[in-house]
Amino acid sequence: MKKLLEPVIAVLVSLAVMVSIGVFNPPISFNPLISSRDLSSAELGTLLFEPLINRIEPLKFLPQLAESFDTTDKQTYTIKLNPNAKWTDGTPVTTEDVAIHLR
């Protein structure tokens, strides 16, 4: 059995990547609900968490975790969640999951 797994393990090891990111101050938290309290936490949060919508240019937005978004009065937005969005364990991301972070 071990011999059969050696090629698989070799592929997995070759795909392993480590990313090092330098910061001036250590982050206070990786919790996106409180990460805006310091710059290091906020910047690292953008690398760890997918936003609903990403601003790619001034006044130009691109859906990320959202599939689409629309507004009729520029004050109220309707955001449709991407039906293929999944957590790292494969569980689908729900509107309730998103709502928890917006409250």
Side-chain angles (χ1 to χ4, degrees):
M1 182 72 164
K2 185 178 177 184
K3 276 283 194 204
L4 292 173
L5 291 177
E6 284 179 3
V8 174
I9 293 170
V11 169
L12 292 175
V13 169
S14 70
L15 293 176
V17 176
M18 183 164 83
V19 177
S20 297
I21 300 169
V23 293
F24 289 107
N25 298 307
I28 291 172
S29 173
F30 291 116
N31 182 340
L33 298 176
I34 61 173
S35 67
S36 63
R37 294 182 184 168
D38 74 293
L39 185 58
S40 293
S41 296
E43 288 297 319
L44 290 173
T46 63
L47 299 172
L48 296 173
F49 303 104
E50 189 80 18
L52 279 171
I53 300 166
N54 198 6
R55 184 172 55 94
I56 56 174
E57 291 178 16
L59 301 178
K60 188 170 182 182
F61 300 92
L62 181 68
Q64 294 291 135
L65 188 57
E67 181 177 69
S68 62
F69 60 98
D70 192 25
T71 183
T72 54
D73 60 7
K74 296 190 181 183
Q75 292 182 345
T76 305
Y77 289 84
T78 301
I79 300 171
K80 184 176 179 185
L81 191 60
N82 182 337
N84 297 320
K86 299 198 183 327
W87 293 101
T88 54
D89 67 356
T91 305
V93 175
T94 66
T95 54
E96 291 80 19
D97 296 330
V98 174
I100 288 170
H101 295 286
L102 296 176
R103 292 184 185 147

